[in-house]
Amino acid sequence: MSSPTAGGGPVRDPAQRGAVSLRGVTKRFGDTTAVDQVDLDVRPREFISLLGPSGCGKTTTLRMVSGFERPDEGRVIISGADTTDVPPHRRRVNTVFQSYALFEHMRVAENVAFGLKVKRQDRETISTKVAQALDLVRLGELAERYPAQLSGGQRQRVALARAVVNQPEVLLLDEPLSALDLKLRQAMRHELGRLHTELGMTFIFVTHDQQEAITMSDRIAVMDQGRIHQLGTPTEIYERPASRFVADFIGETNLLDVTLVGTEEGAATVRTPSGEVIGRVQVEGARTGGECVLAVRPQRVVVVAEVAPEPQDCTLFGGVLVDLLFLGDATRATVRLPDGSELVAVRHNEAGTHPFGMLRPGDRVKVGWLHEAACLLDR
Ligand code: ATP
């Protein structure tokens, strides 16, 4: 059992430096269970995102890692040591907040130096570390400015420099990009990726923006109602959602209510409400029968003219094209099936060609997908 030391945080196993584990962590506020029995293992130097809708418990989870909230149940283990009862300033973690929380009356360099001064480091060390941190976020030139003289993106960089200057083992980022406009947000995603690589720190990033999570993370924990629904790489989460909630929350998905007819060698045969039988649907885990939902991404949906030959490895069935929508870089087609449900297909627009050929709204079409593109989930 490790114990807190005066140097800041408990004694640890070096191989665990930067690892974070939550074990059965629960946090209640009155009648609200904000975080409900969460288990999570973040690997050293991993970039992990907590992703989910507003109120799902992301920030509360992060605050239990930082120490600003204490769990009602469960343990928080940081860098191999049980840290549940260690106060925030003794944990080797730092947080970047959405609001930046800069000291407006201090210059940029003074903002970054603040934590080091509190820790009574000597003047030379402070000056070297501040210069390094500002160089890291490419703000060396602006060290003498006040926060009011900076753009939103520059202010966020100061907040980042201030958070990393103490060389924490884990950096916690609570929606740090959400106050920035779209262009800046996209630029800052690259910056954060670069920082993560250069610093070799564990990053735990809270966001409700799936694009942010998908483009930056090694793994994503998708949360809803205080629980983690799925933990996986962006590809796993996108291609193999573990539940209807995840499929619906990450990207656009077609969800068709179907009945399972049978399974063989990891693939299922299902029947749609209008009676079409669809084979070779991917199944994760055993499903024995009954009502399910079939999930398929719009990018994987095939729409062809009624008279077109059936492509290989693809089951097609009949429908009517009810809408074609030009989205700029892509076109979106909506096909209505005989039972009234709709399937959406999205295709990138190539110069000079129409992604859905000569098809027009009102045409009878065939619609389907490559067999491996659909998966079956609980309803
Ligand atoms: P958002 O994306 O909107 O920030 P979130 O996923 O980070 O949401 P949390 O802030 O963790 O969600 O909140 C989870 C639940 O706990 C919500 O229902 C919220 O209202 C509640 N909650 C959070 N903090 C408190 C508090 N200090 N007192 C009472 N209820 C709280």
Side-chain angles (χ1 to χ4, degrees), residues 223-239:
M223 293 188 69
D224 189 38
Q225 299 189 353
R227 288 176 173 261
I228 294 179
H229 274 240
Q230 188 170 3
L231 174 67
T233 64
T235 311
E236 283 164 356
I237 300 268
Y238 190 81
E239 297 284 350

Side-chain angles (χ1 to χ4, degrees), residues 103 106 109-119 126 130 162:
F103 303 119
M106 291 185 190
E110 292 165 335
N111 261 280
V112 178
F114 184 79
L116 301 175
K117 283 188 180 156
V118 169
K119 289 196 168 168
I126 293 178
V130 168
R162 197 178 53 180

Side-chain angles (χ1 to χ4, degrees), residues 29-30 32-35 52-61 69 174-175 206 208:
F29 297 105
T32 306
T33 303
V35 176
S54 182
C56 72
K58 310 178 292 288
T59 297
T60 305
T61 304
E69 297 289 356
D174 191 358
E175 306 237 15
V206 160
H208 59 265

Side-chain angles (χ1 to χ4, degrees), residues 361-374:
D363 288 353
R364 296 201 61 79
V365 294
K366 285 196 279 192
V367 64
W369 49 82
L370 288 174
H371 291 134
E372 81 274 10

Side-chain angles (χ1 to χ4, degrees), residues 51 210 214 222 237-238 245-253 297:
L51 173 69
Q210 45 169 295
I214 285 174
V222 185
I237 300 268
Y238 190 81
F245 171 79
V246 176
D248 212 15
F249 189 73
I250 308 284
E252 193 181 6
T253 308
R297 299 286 178 192

Side-chain angles (χ1 to χ4, degrees), residues 1 36-37 69 73 79 132 144 247 255 315 366-367:
M1 186 87 183
D36 191 4
Q37 290 289 321
E69 297 289 356
E73 290 166 28
S79 298
Q132 280 171 349
E144 294 309 313
L255 296 170
T315 309
K366 285 196 279 192
V367 64

